[in-house]
């Protein structure tokens, strides 16, 4: 019972930090993507510490609370996409780790899965909400450039996530938990 109480307390505090980061993204316009990415990294922390089911519950609670608290709902949708990406890659990672018995995880395959999960979120948003993302009608070349920029951005985002999980969280984990 003590372990569940600690888990709930930590999850609640991290949820509060996540929602504050989303709300601050609406206030501090220059750091919006940084704050939304930091908020989404909380989803990965919960998944790695407490499992996929708890991570899904945390993700849904963060999206719901974000819609209730955050002034700019578009930023909550952006957080939801970033958090869904992390949820997807962590689920794939757990699935691959469970299936392999020889200790190899198929890094190339895992990298392809990351790009596939990202494109399942990014491309429908880009093509489906074209009028919401762009003020004027855009040419096909500009749309292709947006697709390519997204592919580069996900590499940076994924590298930042790996750094936060592998380096920063490992140092803070000892103090927090």
């Amino acid at each position: 019972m003590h372990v569940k109480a600690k888990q709930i307390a930590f999850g609640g505090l991290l949820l509060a930090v996540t929602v504050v980061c989303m709300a601050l993204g609406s206030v501090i316009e220059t750091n919006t993507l940084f704050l939304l990415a930091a908020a989404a990294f909380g989803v990965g922390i919960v998944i790695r510490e407490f499992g996929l089911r708890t991570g899904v519950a945390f993700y849904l609670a963060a999206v719901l609370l974000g819609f209730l608290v955050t002034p700019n709902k578009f930023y909550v949708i952006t957080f939801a996409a970033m958090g869904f990406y992390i949820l997807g890659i962590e689920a794939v990672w757990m699935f691959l780790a469970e299936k392999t018995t020889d200790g190899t995880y198929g890094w190339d395959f895992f990298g392809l899965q990351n790009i596939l999960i990202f494109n399942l979120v990014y491309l429908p948003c880009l093509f489906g909400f074209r009028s919401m993302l762009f003020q004027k009608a855009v040419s096909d070349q500009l749309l292709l450039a947006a697709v390519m920029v997204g592919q580069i951005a996900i590499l940076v985002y994924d590298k930042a996530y790996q750094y936060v999980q592998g380096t920063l969280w490992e140092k803070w984990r000892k103090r927090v938990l």
Side-chain angles (χ1 to χ4, degrees):
M1 188 163 139
H2 177 266
V3 175
K4 284 286 187 184
K6 190 175 187 180
Q7 180 178 347
I8 291 170
F10 177 74
L13 288 173
L14 193 59
L15 182 62
V17 169
T18 299
V19 172
V20 166
C21 283
M22 275 192 274
L24 281 177
S26 297
V27 175
I28 307 171
E29 294 290 328
T30 56
N31 289 336
T32 300
L33 284 177
F34 172 78
L35 289 167
L36 292 176
F41 291 166
V43 174
I45 290 171
V46 170
I47 291 172
R48 288 199 184 181
E49 291 299 323
F50 307 118
L52 194 60
R53 288 180 60 190
T54 306
V56 169
F58 179 86
Y59 169 73
L60 293 174
V63 170
L64 180 64
L65 199 55
F67 273 117
L68 293 174
V69 173
T70 305
N72 193 339
K73 306 308 182 214
F74 185 71
Y75 293 158
V76 179
I77 294 169
T78 306
F79 162 79
M82 291 175 153
F84 183 77
Y85 170 76
I86 289 177
L87 198 65
I89 64 170
E90 290 293 337
V92 167
W93 175 256
M94 288 179 177
F95 176 75
L96 287 177
E98 198 174 273
K99 293 295 178 188
T100 59
T101 57
D102 61 349
T104 60
Y105 295 111
W107 291 102
D108 296 334
F109 180 69
F110 184 66
L112 291 175
Q113 291 295 326
N114 287 2
I115 292 171
L116 178 69
I117 291 168
F118 168 72
N119 285 319
L120 283 174
V121 174
Y122 180 65
L123 294 179
C125 290
L126 188 62
F127 292 113
F129 300 110
R130 188 186 269 187
S131 63
M132 197 166 121
L133 295 173
F134 303 107
Q135 291 180 354
K136 302 180 208 174
V138 294
S139 66
D140 290 338
Q141 291 86 7
L142 187 61
L143 208 54
L144 181 62
V147 169
M148 297 309 293
V149 166
Q151 304 307 311
I152 294 168
I154 194 58
L155 294 175
V156 172
Y157 180 73
D158 199 47
K159 202 58 138 166
Y161 177 67
Q162 289 174 6
Y163 176 74
V164 166
Q165 282 289 350
T167 305
L168 296 179
W169 178 242
E170 286 303 316
K171 289 179 183 175
W172 294 342
R173 184 174 189 251
K174 297 169 188 152
R175 296 179 185 149
V176 174
L177 297 175

